[in-house]
Amino acid sequence: TGGTLKLAGTSDVDFMDPAAAYYTLSTMLARGVFRQLVTYPSTADREAQRELVPDLATDTGDSNEDLTEWTFHLKEGIKFGPALGGDDIRGVTGEEIVADDFVYAFERLFEPSVGAGYPFYYEVIEGAEEFKNGEAGSISGIEAPDDKTLVFHLTQPVGDWPYRLSMPAISPTPRDYVSKFDRAKDSNYDNHVVSSGPYYLSEWTPEEQIMLERNEHWNPETDEVRNAYV
């Protein structure tokens, strides 16, 4: 669990913001910095690698019979870490991750300032089109009846919905902190991303250097996927 790992490479991430990130390198980095509702296991077994496992959710989701409604429950005791640069953000760092942090992750996918990489996977949520077009102030098809429950109402049957929720774009995003960056013409959340995984971004000099350090707010007891070994 100790030590320092140094990697030398010739390319940078395209974006640090998980909503905008699209490159393979960005996705690899995101696995250590951000968590999602569900994810893939860390295993050498090629068959097992394809099977989703819970991450921030207690399971991989429950659906109704026709696969148009999916429900997820969040684990207890999972907290945000520092922002990029090691900044402790009041009201965010060390605070428990709640359902609205995911609601906002979805909403910002349809904000032009964010430049999301693949919002088309989530346009099947009821009300997403109206929200994208500025005709609604929220996405009607996402419910958060309490801090630990998310319910998705879809416009058509979607059997792979949990797989779509494993992607970096669906990382918890604290609304009050991040929305101030998203209100600009071009969101600068890239330089302020908040960690939820075992590491946080202590430094990022684009095209030169990325440094990760351990996130003391990460609880390994809640994470059956990441051991955070060198």
Side-chain angles (χ1 to χ4, degrees), residues 15-93:
F15 297 98
M16 279 298 181
D17 184 340
Y22 196 84
Y23 288 178
T24 302
L25 178 63
S26 308
T27 301
M28 293 169 62
L29 182 69
R31 187 167 173 86
V33 178
F34 310 111
R35 297 178 67 179
Q36 294 79 43
L37 290 168
V38 294
T39 190
Y40 296 89
S42 298
T43 175
D45 185 326
R46 287 296 182 90
E47 292 300 318
Q49 285 174 4
R50 305 172 187 169
E51 300 299 324
L52 285 182
V53 294
D55 194 358
L56 295 181
T58 57
D59 55 34
T60 55
D62 294 313
S63 73
N64 60 358
E65 190 171 343
D66 67 359
L67 303 176
T68 58
E69 181 178 300
W70 289 85
T71 302
F72 293 82
H73 300 281
L74 302 184
K75 295 175 181 176
E76 300 285 344
I78 300 177
K79 300 177 180 180
F80 282 115
L84 194 153
D87 292 340
D88 284 346
I89 308 302
R90 180 177 297 181
V92 176
T93 306

Side-chain angles (χ1 to χ4, degrees), residues 16-210:
M16 279 298 181
D17 184 340
Y22 196 84
Y23 288 178
T24 302
L25 178 63
S26 308
T27 301
M28 293 169 62
L29 182 69
R31 187 167 173 86
V33 178
F34 310 111
R35 297 178 67 179
Q36 294 79 43
L37 290 168
V38 294
T39 190
Y40 296 89
S42 298
T43 175
D45 185 326
R46 287 296 182 90
E47 292 300 318
Q49 285 174 4
R50 305 172 187 169
E51 300 299 324
L52 285 182
V53 294
D55 194 358
L56 295 181
T58 57
D59 55 34
T60 55
D62 294 313
S63 73
N64 60 358
E65 190 171 343
D66 67 359
L67 303 176
T68 58
E69 181 178 300
W70 289 85
T71 302
F72 293 82
H73 300 281
L74 302 184
K75 295 175 181 176
E76 300 285 344
I78 300 177
K79 300 177 180 180
F80 282 115
L84 194 153
D87 292 340
D88 284 346
I89 308 302
R90 180 177 297 181
V92 176
T93 306
E95 297 296 323
E96 190 145 350
I97 294 170
V98 296
D100 187 66
D101 299 318
F102 288 97
V103 175
Y104 188 63
F106 280 94
E107 289 179 359
R108 65 193 304 268
L109 296 178
F110 301 103
E111 294 287 352
S113 66
V114 174
Y118 38 87
F120 44 84
Y121 285 123
Y122 311 105
E123 291 174 348
V124 292
I125 305 173
E126 289 181 3
E129 198 70 27
E130 291 81 356
F131 180 79
K132 182 176 69 173
N133 295 333
E135 299 166 3
S138 60
I139 301 175
S140 60
I142 306 178
E143 287 185 76
D146 57 59
D147 281 350
K148 295 296 179 181
T149 306
L150 283 162
V151 183
F152 300 96
H153 302 275
L154 310 179
T155 59
Q156 63 190 53
V158 183
D160 68 348
W161 185 246
Y163 288 87
R164 303 186 193 197
L165 304 188
S166 71
M167 302 176 80
I170 312 305
S171 300
T173 311
R175 179 187 299 270
D176 290 345
Y177 175 64
V178 180
S179 60
K180 64 184 180 184
F181 302 112
D182 293 347
R183 284 193 289 269
K185 181 180 179 181
D186 294 306
S187 175
N188 191 32
Y189 185 49
D190 250 356
N191 292 298
H192 304 274
V193 290
V194 175
S195 63
S196 49
Y199 298 95
Y200 70 90
L201 288 151
S202 61
E203 185 180 333
W204 178 37
T205 305
E207 302 297 337
E208 291 185 21
Q209 181 172 258
I210 299 170

